[in-house]
Amino acid sequence: MSDEEKSVAKPIRGEFLREIVFGANDGVVTSIGFLVGIAGAVSDQTIVVIAGALTIIAGGASMALGNYLAVKSQREFYESKEEAHSENNPIISGVIIGAFYLLGGFPPLLPFILFRPATRALIMSIIVAIIVMGLIGFMRWTLNRRNLGGKIGETIIVGIIAAGIGFLAGEVLNYLGLSAAI
């Protein structure tokens, strides 16, 4: 079985763990950070939904294509040095990270589609994001069985920090009067 076939055959056993965790975590963290920021700066919920969806889709594509280039570049580097190095299939790595970015990114946007007013949607979005982050932490734990609370807590704390930064950015826009133009 070739290295490429092995890459396809066993993604669940951890070979693509980096792509799965990085994609899902970056998706939810970017999504909630952006949504908290824009919801604080823009009063029109439709704009929040459209901008959120576009941000998540563009982020997923960027993650997929960027990871493809990174894995391919790393493989080419080792090949040029004639060093044996086991690296994931660049296309599969890109698809996985992009797909998990979308899987992590869209749940926090759903409350803005399902709930009104925007303040209720924002609260629900934060709750959904924390649940998604907890699930990512749980998934990390299932693969290595070390410190369940630590894995979940670490993932949630990173997300809360990102959401706080997004909120502060939105508040700065409000303070500067830039959100009134939107």
Side-chain angles (χ1 to χ4, degrees), residues 69-82:
L69 290 175
V71 172
K72 184 176 180 190
S73 296
Q74 186 174 22
R75 176 183 281 176
E76 291 169 350
F77 170 78
Y78 285 114
E79 286 173 357
S80 73
K81 301 288 184 196
E82 296 181 4

Side-chain angles (χ1 to χ4, degrees), residues 148-159:
L148 174 61
K151 297 289 184 217
I152 292 172
E154 179 180 55
T155 307
I156 291 172
I157 288 169
V158 167

Side-chain angles (χ1 to χ4, degrees), residues 32-33 60 102 104 126-127 141 162 165:
I32 194 61
L102 296 174
I126 291 168
I127 292 168
W141 175 79
I165 291 168

Side-chain angles (χ1 to χ4, degrees), residues 123-153:
I123 291 166
M124 294 303 296
S125 180
I126 291 168
I127 292 168
V128 167
I130 290 170
I131 291 168
V132 171
M133 288 180 242
L135 290 172
I136 294 166
F138 180 77
M139 181 184 64
R140 292 173 58 209
W141 175 79
T142 61
L143 291 168
N144 64 30
R145 300 287 182 192
R146 292 186 193 141
N147 193 359
L148 174 61
K151 297 289 184 217
I152 292 172

Side-chain angles (χ1 to χ4, degrees), residues 9 13 15 20 25 29 31 39 42 56 63 78 83 90-91 98 104-105 108 117-118 128 136 147 149 156 164 173:
R13 293 194 313 204
E15 187 168 337
I20 292 168
N25 192 66
V29 167
S31 178
V42 176
I56 294 164
M63 290 289 289
Y78 285 114
E83 295 179 20
I91 294 172
V128 167
I136 294 166
N147 193 359
I156 291 172
L173 290 177

Side-chain angles (χ1 to χ4, degrees), residues 27-52:
V28 69
V29 167
T30 299
S31 178
I32 194 61
F34 175 80
L35 291 168
V36 167
I38 194 169
V42 176
S43 59
D44 186 340
Q45 200 163 330
T46 303
I47 292 174
V48 173
V49 171
I50 292 168

